[in-house]
Amino acid sequence: MRRRIYLFAGVVLLLTTLPSLLVDTTSGPYDSVGTTLLGIGGLLFIAAARRDTVEIGDWTFSWHQLVGAADIALGIGFPLTLLNRVLGPAATPTDYTIFAAGIVGGVVLTFIGVDVIRGSRYVSLGQPENPDA
């Protein structure tokens, strides 16, 4: 998979989450935490697209580990942004359906993220490529 797609995804995530957090248009604590996790996922995608490795203290993380961490952040953050809708008194069956779909999607993204961090046994990120291409 071409790493440039992560740059695009990261920028889109940041452009959609930062204004919500800066202007405080989130609708509660779950939404705020979920939106923050989506923004963190965007930052991790950007770092993965731009760097082969990232060093934090004594630890060195490869780009694919950053992609896995971003997937986990998205997998946890997305359902959290939907939680306030089902906790409210005016929750509709549609709200519960969307929340259930968000949970399923979050579980899948988290599974993908864990697999990618552990070396991609089930999910392939493609052949290594020249990052300047």
Side-chain angles (χ1 to χ4, degrees):
M1 177 182 286
R2 296 193 167 261
R3 285 172 47 190
R4 278 185 252 162
I5 192 74
Y6 296 120
L7 180 62
F8 175 74
V11 169
V12 168
L13 282 167
L14 281 180
L15 289 177
T16 57
T17 58
L18 282 180
S20 296
L21 292 171
L22 292 175
V23 183
D24 196 27
T25 60
T26 56
S27 61
Y30 298 116
D31 193 22
S32 297
V33 171
T35 303
T36 301
L37 285 171
L38 294 177
I40 289 170
L43 288 173
L44 290 169
F45 276 151
I46 291 171
R50 303 299 299 157
R51 306 280 304 225
D52 288 333
T53 60
V54 173
E55 294 181 18
I56 300 174
D58 292 336
W59 296 351
T60 301
F61 300 98
S62 67
W63 71 270
H64 75 277
Q65 290 172 319
L66 297 175
V67 168
D71 285 337
I72 292 170
L74 296 178
I76 296 169
F78 182 64
L80 283 176
T81 62
L82 303 171
L83 187 58
N84 286 332
R85 297 176 82 179
V86 297
L87 293 178
T92 65
T94 303
D95 292 333
Y96 289 110
T97 303
I98 292 171
F99 181 64
I103 289 175
V104 170
V107 167
V108 170
L109 276 170
T110 302
F111 171 79
I112 290 170
V114 169
D115 183 55
V116 169
I117 287 174
R118 296 185 68 206
S120 296
R121 181 173 181 189
Y122 302 105
V123 178
S124 174
L125 295 180
Q127 297 295 326
E129 64 178 57
N130 180 359
D132 297 328

